Structures are given as structure tokens and as C-alpha cells.
Amino acid sequence: NQHLMNQSAAIPKLIAQLDSPNIQITNNALSTIGALMRNCPENQKMIHKTNGIVKILKYLQSDDETIVKNALYILGETARQCKE
């Protein structure tokens, strides 16, 4: 339980990093968010609470292919978990 609380606490910081002009920081944040939300409803809820999905949506228009892939993965996981 403590481990999940620590992960959930990291989500707002990672969402804030999505505002960085540095592509590497943004990409790392997206990748970490994707990993933390995998099969973890608590982290999924925290992403929604912090308006993370709204920020992630804007990256679908990025010129960086890796950023687009990471954003699509997160959105796909969100859709999959909403169905369950």
C-alpha cells in the first residue's frame, strides 16, 4: 500500500513536467506515467484528478514520434481501463 501511495504522489510532479519545453523531460515523464498507470487504477485516477489526460492529448500533435507513441499508449491504457 505504501508503494502505491508513493507512486500516486509522483503523478502530479510528472504531469507538471509535461509543461517542460525540453523534449527529453517530456518524453521521460510520458514514459514514466505510462509505466505507473499500467494495471493500477489508483494511479489512473490520479492522472485524471490532475488533468493529465488533457495535457497528454496535446502531445498527439507533436513532431517527435516517441512522444506521440507514449501519449497514444497512455490514452489507449486509459480507454482499456475505463472498459474494465
Side-chain angles (χ1 to χ4, degrees), residues 1-83:
N1 258 351
Q2 184 66 31
H3 183 64
L4 284 177
M5 288 173 53
N6 289 341
Q7 286 183 357
S8 291
I11 300 286
K13 294 173 188 169
L14 290 164
I15 297 298
Q17 289 179 3
L18 295 178
D19 293 327
S20 173
N22 183 310
I23 287 177
Q24 190 60 41
I25 289 173
T26 300
N27 202 21
N28 287 343
L30 285 169
S31 180
T32 303
I33 291 166
L36 290 176
M37 68 178 289
R38 192 175 304 125
N39 299 319
C40 187
E42 293 83 9
N43 289 344
Q44 177 75 28
K45 288 176 189 171
M46 183 59 74
I47 291 166
H48 285 284
K49 279 185 181 179
T50 57
N51 286 328
I53 296 300
V54 173
K55 289 187 178 188
I56 292 164
L57 280 170
K58 75 179 185 179
Y59 287 107
L60 293 179
Q61 298 176 355
S62 174
D63 292 332
D64 186 283
E65 187 177 318
T66 304
I67 285 179
V68 173
K69 284 180 183 178
N70 282 330
L72 282 171
Y73 173 79
I74 292 168
L75 296 172
E77 279 294 299
T78 300
R80 185 182 67 78
Q81 289 184 18
C82 286
K83 285 181 144 182

